[in-house]
Amino acid sequence: MLGKLDWSAIPFDQPIPLIAGAVVLVAILAVLGWVVVKGHLPYLWHEWITSVDHKRIGVMYILLASVMLLRGGSDAIMMRVQQAIAYQSQGYLPPEHYNQIFSAHGTIMIFFVAMPFVIGLMNLVVPLQLGVRDVAFPTLNSVGFWLTATGALLVNLSLVIGEFARTGWLAFPPLSELSYSPGVGVDYYAWSLQISGVGTLVAGINLVTTVLKLRTKGMNYLRMPMFCWTTLASNLLIVAAFPILTATLAMLLLDRYLGFHFFTNEAGGNVMMFMNLIWAWGHPEVYILVLPAFGIYSEVVSTFSGKALFGYRSMVLATMAICVISFMVWLHHFFTMGAGPDVNAIFGIASMVIAVPTGVKIYNWLFTMYGGRIRFTTPMLWSVGFMVTFIIGGLTGVLVAVPPADFMLHNSMFLVAHFHNVIIGGVLFGAFAGFEYWFPKAFGFRLDERWGKIGFWFTFLGFYVTFMPLYIAGMLGMTRRMQHYDVAAWRPWMIIAAFGMALLSIGVLSQVMQVVVSIRNRESLRDRTGDPWDGRSLEWATSSPPPVFNFAFSPDVRGEDAYWDLKAHAKQQLLESPEPEYRDIEMPRNSPTGFVCAFFATIMGFSLIWHIWWLVIVGGIGAFATFVVFAWRDHDEYVIPAAEVARVDRINREERRNLVSMAGAV
Amino acid sequence: MSMTATVGRAHADPHHIGRAAEHEGPAPKRIVTAYGFWIFLLSDIVMFSCFFAAYAVLSGQTAGGPKGSEIFDQKNVAIETVCLLLSSFTCGMASIAADVRNRLWFYLSMAVTCALGLIFLSIEFREFADLVARGYGPSRSAFLTAFFSLVGCHGLHVSAGVLWLLTMMAQVFAKGFRADILRRMMCFALFWHALDIIWVAVFSVVYLLGSGA
Ligand code: HEM
Ligand SMILES: [Cu+2]
């Protein structure tokens, strides 16, 4: 009846996950109870859970990412503490538990922190920058988000019911095959990524279509803000790469569930095929993450330098070049696995070629700043911090892309330092910059600058103190994923790194503090004009937070930096453009489809993991029924009357007129 | 100047680019839907390519089991192929019938499409069942693993297509040729034709090359 599930799945003998799980459960129940008692449930349901508004979905993505960042961060703290004390001792974690932690940490950070963070920002901002009302497929957008949440939920369930994979975040066979990993850990891993991967693919299709087909009048390709370009590139990569992950995981699952022989040692299976497939997805994946961050830096740097982005066209070219080249270098992840010198040389050179367009980008940012009037706000600090940090990460990347060097550094702490260098200094800093930069747009008030800067400096310094020692430990020969070790020379570096981790944690907590303080002082931080930073692109042309319909009338764009031009124009004439004739606006209706679908997906995923076959069928039928019910709706849109549009827009225009006349008076 | 207000001056283009063709604004829904679905199809084809690649890598790995030429029955495959190609034709007829709002022809051609799809599936199912009965199931060798997965993945898509097809018929029956239903019908047709194209690849790579070897 319950498949493999019984009481032995609950790790009663391991206090740490049980206590953690209990704390989380109590917290969730407390929040839920509070919501119900305060009567917020209808509001949550109607305004958020069933919302198909791209801005709300974007916010929910970011919220999910932030919560999972805390979870993944706790794993990181546990690992750093373990390695700091596990010199000639077992440390405080049993080995198989340590293995689960590093696997869960990597999986969570990539799939449930970095991915939802950048997808959330793209969802929030791109339609606004394009001057349109919504994404191409609003309901599908909600489905995508909720499927991502399903994946995150499954990973967290593994904490208290069963176990997580001990195979590392890419589950290499044959270790991940049934014969070496008979438990449910790898199944948790594979099904949660499979389900959230569908969500990611859906988001990718949605955003590609949005950028290519839904730009406002006059928004030619070469007038799109840089962030729209990097969004396009990143989502093209999603559409091209995620199906590879889906296929690869499907093969692994077939091996495990039905005794197939894709990657087994027996009957002719081929492990190297897994390496090729997983990295053909995995390498583009890192560019899926970092390209949107590059877009964010471009927006932030040009806004806070008060200048148009330098070398816009070369930036577009560099973006698309990276998009293409990132598909041609996957093999550098297994230089040491016997492909031979010729193949290694070709892939080594191809890998280094990516440094060229990336260098172009760095120089363009520098030249944008050069001669500009720079304001060092928190998002700008993150961007400058990124430039310094990412250069180091890029240089060590070029180093490991040299095959002979890689033979020394492969699987060492040097590698761990390298990819954290680029992923934290590139992606996470970018996500934070975007968070600070667009927060007022999403919520109508700015974030507290003081706490923001404290958060930046602690994170920035903490990052260096944590990860620079790992480069050294790597050169001293320390390999990755060590539960304990006996080499005295490594120990000091591990202790410094653990100290750095403490600094990092203070940084992250300061950012939490920043949000709390800002919410408390939201009245004094209120952004009335919708344009708190003196921005340049169209998202600043509407109020903060924007009305559901984004723009009361469709903007007509006549050049780059659309909103900047409008402002310059308005200042000259001390007047805004004449009031348009307002029309009724049709918007898509809310729909519980996404939530219900994810509900059934969760049931299906869970029962697949535990081999509860009848429940799998129930879940499958439920998911299909959800779609049919959705397809059966007769009214999928509602109308916002012109009078309401006019009312909302007039308030916004009034505020702006004040802004312009104030600026004119100065 | 009704719906739009002008953003930016006419000569605000610092690099003198983007002059050539003025972008007209968001595309109509029909185009957006079809475009999005095309992109989905492309991603689906990427997924299939992985299974093709796996087949190419593993097709020689018979581990002492049968080779392709020993188990493929060309006659069956020929019938399957004819069924599927014909069903693409009748699916096209259904699209035309939907465009001219002719219910009778719509139901008729959809029904024939469905029947052809089901015949295809039953032949494939028989082939699979037969192989398993002879002990040549997918866990016999890596070659058979890749074979069953690639062909089975296509078969799963056809099954999903049949389910979708029946839903479309029910929708037209209940709601008529509404704009959103026509859009869905267009996506379904794209899907069905794409399956046909993939089958041509399966047919060539697996059965034609395999029987020669
Ligand atoms: C907050 C500070 C962080 C610390 C202290 C930290 C620490 C660690 C450690 C100790 C490992 C295991 C290395 C080993 O194999 O021995 C690891 C692995 C990893 N981390 Fe982090 N991490 C942090 C943040 C992040 C972030 C933000 C990301 C991604 C967005 C990330 C992605 C990964 C990945 C992909 C792995 C590889 C896992 C594997 O080898 O299977 N980490 N991290
Ligand atoms: Cu790579």
Side-chain angles (χ1 to χ4, degrees):
Chain A
M1 189 64 181
L2 285 183
K4 291 159 74 175
L5 186 60
D6 57 32
W7 286 112
S8 67
I10 317 275
F12 289 112
D13 52 331
Q14 288 174 36
I16 297 173
L18 267 199
I19 294 170
V23 170
V24 171
L25 198 68
V26 168
I28 290 176
L29 287 181
V31 171
L32 269 186
W34 181 79
V35 164
V36 172
V37 169
K38 285 273 186 173
H40 291 319
L41 206 54
Y43 167 78
L44 267 189
W45 177 259
H46 291 295
E47 297 291 321
W48 290 92
I49 295 176
T50 62
S51 176
V52 296
D53 180 345
H54 69 93
K55 303 179 283 297
R56 297 251 157 117
I57 293 176
V59 168
M60 289 192 289
Y61 264 116
I62 294 171
L63 194 66
L64 174 72
S66 311
V67 172
M68 292 307 280
L69 179 67
L70 297 182
R71 159 78 211 272
S74 323
D75 291 340
I77 294 175
M78 291 174 76
M79 287 188 289
R80 283 274 66 92
V81 172
Q82 167 79 7
Q83 288 198 329
I85 60 183
Y87 167 64
Q88 288 187 342
S89 92
Q90 292 297 317
Y92 72 109
L93 289 174
E96 79 282 4
H97 190 187
Y98 185 82
N99 295 356
Q100 287 184 43
I101 294 181
F102 73 64
S103 307
H105 168 78
T107 311
I108 286 175
M109 286 300 195
I110 296 286
F111 291 95
F112 301 113
V113 176
M115 285 301 279
F117 216 129
V118 295
I119 292 182
L121 286 172
M122 295 191 284
N123 247 314
L124 176 67
V125 177
V126 164
L128 290 169
Q129 287 196 331
L130 295 174
V132 291
R133 301 237 148 86
D134 214 326
V135 289
F137 309 107
T139 312
L140 213 58
N141 205 11
S142 151
V143 173
F145 166 71
W146 285 106
L147 288 182
T148 309
T150 291
L153 180 64
L154 285 178
V155 172
N156 282 320
L157 272 184
S158 75
L159 201 60
V160 278
I161 309 179
E163 50 163 8
F164 197 70
R166 300 164 193 179
T167 49
W169 71 291
L170 286 180
F172 293 141
L175 181 57
S176 54
E177 292 284 357
L178 205 56
S179 37
Y180 298 92
S181 296
V184 292
V186 177
D187 303 323
Y188 262 115
Y189 166 89
W191 286 114
S192 55
L193 295 199
Q194 207 61 316
I195 291 170
S196 64
V198 174
T200 306
L201 178 66
V202 162
I205 292 173
N206 208 339
L207 283 164
V208 169
T209 315
T210 305
V211 175
L212 291 180
K213 286 289 146 191
L214 287 191
R215 285 159 292 129
T216 190
K217 189 165 181 308
M219 179 72 82
N220 292 1
Y221 282 122
L222 284 175
R223 289 173 183 171
M224 291 198 307
M226 214 39 231
F227 187 56
C228 296
W229 269 107
T230 56
T231 297
L232 175 63
S234 162
N235 286 286
L236 284 174
L237 285 176
I238 288 183
V239 172
F242 265 76
I244 309 181
L245 178 68
T246 307
T248 315
L249 291 177
M251 291 177 200
L252 183 62
L253 285 167
L254 284 170
D255 276 3
R256 287 180 62 86
Y257 277 71
L258 299 175
F260 281 35
H261 292 290
F262 280 108
F263 312 123
T264 54
N265 282 337
E266 314 87 46
N270 187 332
V271 172
M272 279 322 285
M273 194 167 73
F274 185 91
M275 298 295 163
N276 275 295
L277 285 170
I278 202 81
W279 284 114
W281 158 82
H283 189 81
E285 164 70 8
V286 305
Y287 286 91
I288 291 172
L289 293 175
V290 88
L291 279 172
F294 286 171
I296 295 170
Y297 298 125
S298 303
E299 305 289 306
V300 169
V301 167
S302 112
T303 297
F304 292 111
S305 304
K307 277 174 68 190
L309 190 66
F310 183 89
Y312 172 80
R313 272 176 295 175
S314 64
M315 214 61 151
V316 171
L317 212 69
T319 305
M320 295 326 271
I322 292 176
C323 180
V324 174
I325 304 174
S326 68
F327 255 109
M328 310 198 287
V329 301
W330 78 92
L331 197 132
H332 63 211
H333 291 276
F334 40 100
F335 277 151
T336 53
M337 297 190 208
D342 296 339
V343 175
N344 279 1
I346 290 171
F347 278 85
I349 291 166
S351 310
M352 287 179 238
V353 165
I354 290 209
V356 176
T358 313
V360 168
K361 282 179 169 269
I362 301 259
Y363 281 112
N364 279 339
W365 289 317
L366 292 178
F367 285 134
T368 306
M369 288 167 66
Y370 180 77
R373 277 219 212 144
I374 302 177
R375 287 171 283 159
F376 281 107
T377 54
T378 317
M380 190 64 178
L381 283 183
W382 286 112
S383 307
V384 176
F386 147 79
M387 281 183 233
V388 178
T389 311
F390 198 79
I391 289 174
I392 302 176
L395 290 178
T396 57
V398 173
L399 199 58
V400 287
V402 181
D406 194 50
F407 271 85
M408 300 304 297
L409 300 170
H410 177 67
N411 263 351
S412 72
M413 283 312 245
F414 190 93
L415 180 86
V416 174
H418 154 68
F419 70 69
H420 283 85
N421 202 164
V422 282
I423 251 172
I424 297 180
V427 182
L428 210 61
F429 281 17
F432 289 156
F435 177 77
E436 305 270 337
Y437 183 58
W438 283 306
F439 188 92
K441 185 43 63 185
F443 293 104
F445 57 97
R446 276 172 291 120
L447 284 169
D448 186 87
E449 279 285 310
R450 210 171 77 91
W451 278 105
K453 285 182 178 156
I454 296 176
F456 165 76
W457 282 111
F458 271 104
T459 312
F460 184 72
L461 291 177
F463 165 80
Y464 278 91
V465 180
T466 311
F467 289 99
M468 294 304 131
L470 301 195
Y471 278 122
I472 301 172
M475 299 218 257
L476 293 176
M478 181 168 181
T479 52
R480 70 199 292 205
R481 297 177 185 168
M482 289 209 159
Q483 298 135 4
H484 45 86
Y485 54 90
D486 298 324
V487 180
W490 299 342
R491 175 129 218 243
W493 304 113
M494 291 302 111
I495 293 175
I496 298 176
F499 175 66
M501 189 66 226
L503 292 181
L504 252 177
S505 312
I506 297 177
V508 171
L509 290 182
S510 308
Q511 280 180 289
V512 175
M513 197 60 198
Q514 180 194 27
V515 175
V516 174
V517 168
S518 314
I519 292 178
R520 228 189 284 128
N521 301 340
R522 60 187 175 282
E523 276 321 312
S524 60
L525 292 168
R526 183 76 59 201
D527 162 33
R528 294 185 194 291
T529 61
D531 182 21
W533 311 119
D534 200 5
R536 314 180 68 85
S537 41
L538 281 180
E539 75 266 36
W540 308 110
T542 181
S543 60
S544 306
V548 259
F549 45 82
N550 289 355
F551 298 94
F553 51 87
S554 298
D556 179 5
V557 176
R558 296 288 169 82
E560 285 171 36
D561 281 348
Y563 185 54
W564 183 263
D565 285 338
L566 171 71
K567 280 189 290 190
H569 193 45
K571 273 179 201 159
Q572 275 169 13
Q573 305 192 350
L574 273 181
L575 254 182
E576 251 194 288
S577 47
E579 187 166 288
E581 203 181 285
Y582 294 105
R583 298 265 180 97
D584 292 352
I585 293 179
E586 278 192 347
M587 292 302 288
R589 241 173 221 284
N590 283 359
S591 156
T593 307
F595 188 76
V596 177
C597 198
F599 174 78
F600 286 116
T602 309
I603 291 188
M604 247 172 101
F606 187 78
S607 44
L608 278 165
I609 291 164
W610 291 101
H611 298 217
I612 312 172
W613 302 119
W614 61 272
L615 201 55
V616 175
I617 296 170
V618 171
I621 293 175
F624 177 69
T626 316
F627 277 111
V628 175
V629 170
F630 171 67
W632 231 262
R633 292 197 308 178
D634 282 327
H635 305 287
D636 50 4
E637 298 198 317
Y638 69 107
V639 174
I640 302 173
E644 171 66 10
V645 177
R647 189 187 66 75
V648 171
D649 195 44
R650 282 194 188 115
I651 302 173
N652 183 25
R653 294 173 84 84
E654 183 56 38
E655 300 282 2
R656 262 156 221 272
R657 205 158 300 131
N658 292 341
L659 172 80
V660 168
S661 52
M662 253 159 52
V666 175
Chain B
M1 273 308 289
S2 56
M3 278 296 280
T4 54
T6 302
V7 176
R9 287 154 298 161
H11 295 292
D13 215 348
H15 302 300
H16 306 284
I17 47 180
R19 279 285 171 69
E22 278 297 319
H23 178 66
E24 282 301 330
K29 255 197 180 148
R30 197 188 130 82
I31 307 254
V32 172
T33 310
Y35 203 89
F37 198 75
W38 262 112
I39 296 178
F40 163 73
L41 283 180
L42 290 178
S43 75
D44 209 31
I45 287 174
V46 173
M47 205 227 5
F48 266 108
S49 350
C50 296
F51 282 99
F52 274 107
Y55 181 80
V57 170
L58 300 177
S59 60
Q61 306 295 327
T62 51
K67 286 194 302 190
S69 49
E70 295 163 31
I71 55 170
F72 296 152
D73 177 357
Q74 298 293 41
K75 209 178 89 229
N76 263 346
V77 181
I79 302 174
E80 281 181 300
T81 309
V82 171
C83 280
L84 215 55
L85 291 182
L86 269 184
S87 81
S88 233
F89 174 74
T90 55
C91 176
M93 296 291 285
S95 301
I96 296 174
D99 280 345
V100 300
R101 313 278 193 281
N102 187 327
R103 276 176 186 255
L104 180 67
W105 273 103
F106 177 79
Y107 292 137
L108 201 67
S109 6
M110 286 292 259
V112 177
T113 312
C114 181
L116 289 169
L118 288 176
I119 295 176
F120 171 88
L121 282 175
S122 62
I123 297 178
E124 185 159 283
F125 185 77
R126 248 195 22 220
E127 180 192 12
F128 279 11
D130 187 43
L131 281 176
V132 172
R134 285 156 64 192
Y136 299 154
S139 39
R140 175 64 190 83
S141 70
F143 156 65
L144 284 165
T145 286
F147 165 77
F148 272 91
S149 311
L150 175 55
V151 179
C153 185
H154 178 266
L156 271 183
H157 275 70
V158 176
S159 317
V162 169
L163 215 56
W164 188 357
L165 183 155
L166 294 174
T167 318
M168 283 322 302
M169 284 175 82
Q171 283 216 304
V172 172
F173 180 77
K175 304 191 181 280
F177 294 111
R178 233 168 41 189
D180 57 340
I181 292 174
L182 284 179
R183 283 200 298 272
R184 248 168 245 154
M185 181 58 206
M186 175 176 62
C187 293
F188 165 74
L190 284 174
F191 184 71
W192 197 263
H193 296 313
L195 290 187
D196 219 21
I197 295 174
I198 292 174
W199 176 256
V200 172
V202 172
F203 169 74
S204 324
V205 171
V206 176
Y207 291 103
L208 283 187
L209 289 179
S211 324

